[in-house]
Amino acid sequence: MRTITTTEELKAYCEEAATHPYVTVDTEFLRERTYYSKLCLMQLAMPGTDDSGAVLVDPLVDDMSLEPLYTLFRDTSVVKVFHAARQDLEIFFIDAQVFPDPLFDTQVAAMVCGFGEQVGYETLVRKIAKGQVDKTSRFTDWSRRPLTDAQKTYALADVTHLRQVYEFLAKKISETGRDKWVAEELETLTNPDTYITAPYDAWKRVKTRTNSGRFLAIVRELAAFRENYAQGRNIPRNRVYKDDALVELASNKPKNHEELGRARLLLRDARKGEISEGILKAVELGLACANSDLPQPDLRREKLQVNPALADLLRVLLKAKTEKEAVAAKLIANASDLDAIAAGERDVAALSGWRREVFGNDALLLCEGKIALTAVGSDVKVVPV
């Protein structure tokens, strides 16, 4: 197993890879102790049936530059193949603001091809490549050196089997004319907004039980401070303070260190120094927020008047359509989406793009009473009304 440890070696490999129609890519990283993922290892493989065109790349070596890889990523003549690419792409975007172009994600493609929802790599290897993936090294510290032979074998298998999986899925998608479906799904993965967490929007991820604007203003300021602090020091946001402590602080509104010290859920390090000062300032800003600037939760779906019978019919229609088209149902719509459609909402992903072709058009006709559903044996059929 070859391991690349210099920029020159990586450049030579990437130049050779650029002569092929595709290259498979995977990463190993750690994120438990940092805000941003720490890239520990990369795996690359050119087309082939053995390991000769596959390499490991050690990004932890001093003076290693990934620019040759990013040059390959920008080469539109070579498809860059990943499985469940989101976290891999985040690493490259944060590091160099680059996305692989063109991109192929075998997890997305497998869902489009009817392999189920969020299908795992091992499942695809077993079903398509008729191979097995050794899972024993999955939970390991990839930052430690030297890597064991077992670790290297496990890591390399993530890109060697991927070649056969990609070739099978790419052919199937081409034959079924679903290239556009996959392209629409990948647009989200290559959108910078997917990987940028704006501190002032971080409050939207915090679960609360009240919709009071003043309370949410304090939550917003506390969440923004936490996000800025964690990003600036590259530490997990929960190391600053956890969500339950944030909600407790927003409820109690401490105005000085004595009141802050009464918090039950706050970590010890957050009761002093920069974090404690940041908390008190955030509470102060939230309390002083003008009424016109108070955050407003999105309550549209909570206020929807859902027609439960229609929602159930939409579920039946979705199941029938996805079984017929051999595509994962949750890729088109989830239960919340169906309830929204049944309540009259039309700004729903299931009613646009390729989803509309597969499901959305008939869903709207069903809502308008222009079609009905009937059982024919074990199948559900759509009939005009």
Side-chain angles (χ1 to χ4, degrees):
M1 286 173 285
R2 178 186 170 197
T3 301
I4 289 177
T5 57
T6 69
T7 304
E8 291 72 22
E9 288 179 289
L10 179 60
K11 183 174 184 291
Y13 181 87
C14 290
E15 287 176 348
E16 183 181 356
T19 66
H20 294 275
Y22 73 85
V23 59
T24 54
V25 188
D26 191 38
T27 69
E28 306 298 341
F29 56 87
L30 295 178
R31 197 169 193 168
E32 290 80 5
R33 299 185 294 272
T34 56
Y35 183 93
Y36 300 106
S37 296
K38 178 182 180 181
L39 180 62
C40 299
L41 189 69
M42 288 186 301
Q43 305 95 280
L44 305 167
M46 294 180 273
T49 56
D50 57 24
D51 293 349
S52 60
V55 295
L56 304 175
V57 180
D58 190 348
L60 300 183
V61 175
D62 291 341
D63 300 324
M64 167 70 81
S65 170
L66 298 183
E67 188 53 38
L69 178 68
Y70 297 146
T71 298
L72 180 62
F73 280 1
R74 298 183 187 101
D75 187 339
T76 57
S77 69
V78 184
V79 178
K80 275 64 70 170
V81 182
F82 293 75
H83 179 82
R86 191 188 188 287
Q87 294 188 81
D88 302 314
L89 299 188
E90 181 180 17
I91 291 172
F92 300 128
F93 176 73
I94 296 299
D95 183 53
Q97 292 73 57
V98 63
F99 290 115
D101 181 26
L103 168 71
F104 191 98
D105 188 323
T106 55
Q107 185 177 73
V108 172
M111 293 171 71
V112 166
C113 292
F115 280 86
E117 298 158 4
Q118 303 297 319
V119 60
Y121 178 65
E122 294 84 2
T123 300
L124 293 181
V125 170
R126 185 176 67 254
K127 290 184 175 181
I128 296 175
K130 310 303 180 187
Q132 297 291 328
V133 176
D134 183 0
K135 301 179 183 179
T136 55
S137 295
R138 171 177 290 178
F139 301 107
T140 187
D141 184 349
W142 291 100
S143 67
R144 299 189 65 178
R145 296 294 185 271
L147 296 174
T148 66
D149 288 342
Q151 286 176 308
K152 293 179 180 180
T153 299
Y154 167 85
L156 209 62
D158 281 345
V159 288
T160 52
H161 292 306
L162 191 57
R163 297 174 297 192
Q164 192 171 345
V165 172
Y166 162 68
E167 291 174 3
F168 176 89
L169 292 174
K171 181 180 178 182
K172 190 172 182 66
I173 287 171
S174 178
E175 290 173 346
T176 56
R178 296 182 178 181
D179 308 73
K180 181 183 174 183
W181 297 16
V182 175
E184 283 188 29
E185 296 308 300
L186 295 182
E187 285 180 4
T188 300
L189 288 177
T190 54
N191 183 342
D193 291 342
T194 302
Y195 308 100
I196 297 174
T197 302
Y200 223 53
D201 290 332
W203 69 276
K204 297 175 183 177
R205 295 197 307 266
V206 179
K207 293 181 179 179
T208 63
R209 294 184 178 181
T210 176
N211 295 319
S212 160
R214 186 63 54 192
F215 172 82
L216 292 178
I218 301 173
V219 169
R220 180 174 63 186
E221 297 296 339
L222 287 167
F225 166 73
R226 180 178 67 174
E227 208 71 21
N228 277 317
Y229 190 92
Q231 288 179 359
R233 290 156 182 77
N234 195 23
I235 60 174
R237 63 176 63 90
N238 283 347
R239 286 264 302 276
V240 186
Y241 41 81
K242 297 181 180 181
D243 281 2
D244 54 359
L246 188 155
V247 172
E248 180 190 31
L249 291 167
S251 299
N252 295 340
K253 309 175 187 62
K255 297 179 179 63
N256 52 54
H257 286 90
E258 181 182 353
E259 293 180 5
L260 182 63
R262 298 180 192 139
R264 295 182 303 108
L265 303 175
L266 203 58
L267 299 172
R268 182 176 60 184
D269 289 345
R271 299 171 184 269
K272 57 187 179 181
E274 285 186 74
I275 299 179
S276 66
E277 295 296 336
I279 289 172
L280 295 176
K281 183 63 177 177
V283 172
E284 180 184 340
L285 289 172
L287 289 171
C289 180
N291 290 337
S292 58
D293 293 331
L294 294 177
Q296 298 297 325
D298 186 355
L299 302 176
R300 288 177 300 170
R301 290 204 173 184
E302 291 183 19
K303 295 179 179 179
L304 292 177
Q305 299 298 313
V306 179
N307 180 333
L310 179 56
D312 286 342
L313 286 175
L314 287 168
R315 287 170 173 76
V316 174
L317 176 66
L318 178 64
K319 187 173 188 298
K321 289 288 185 178
T322 53
E323 287 183 351
K324 178 183 177 182
E325 297 291 343
V327 61
K330 283 190 177 178
L331 191 59
I332 294 180
N334 56 32
S336 178
D337 294 330
L338 297 177
D339 287 344
I341 295 171
E345 281 284 297
R346 295 298 177 258
D347 185 18
V348 181
L351 302 180
S352 64
W354 69 269
R355 292 173 173 82
R356 186 180 182 109
E357 299 173 18
V358 175
F359 169 74
N361 284 329
D362 278 348
L364 291 174
L365 292 174
L366 185 64
C367 292
E368 295 165 5
K370 295 179 179 179
I371 62 171
L373 304 178
T374 184
V376 180
S378 60
D379 297 326
V380 173
K381 300 292 184 181
V382 173
V383 295
V385 175

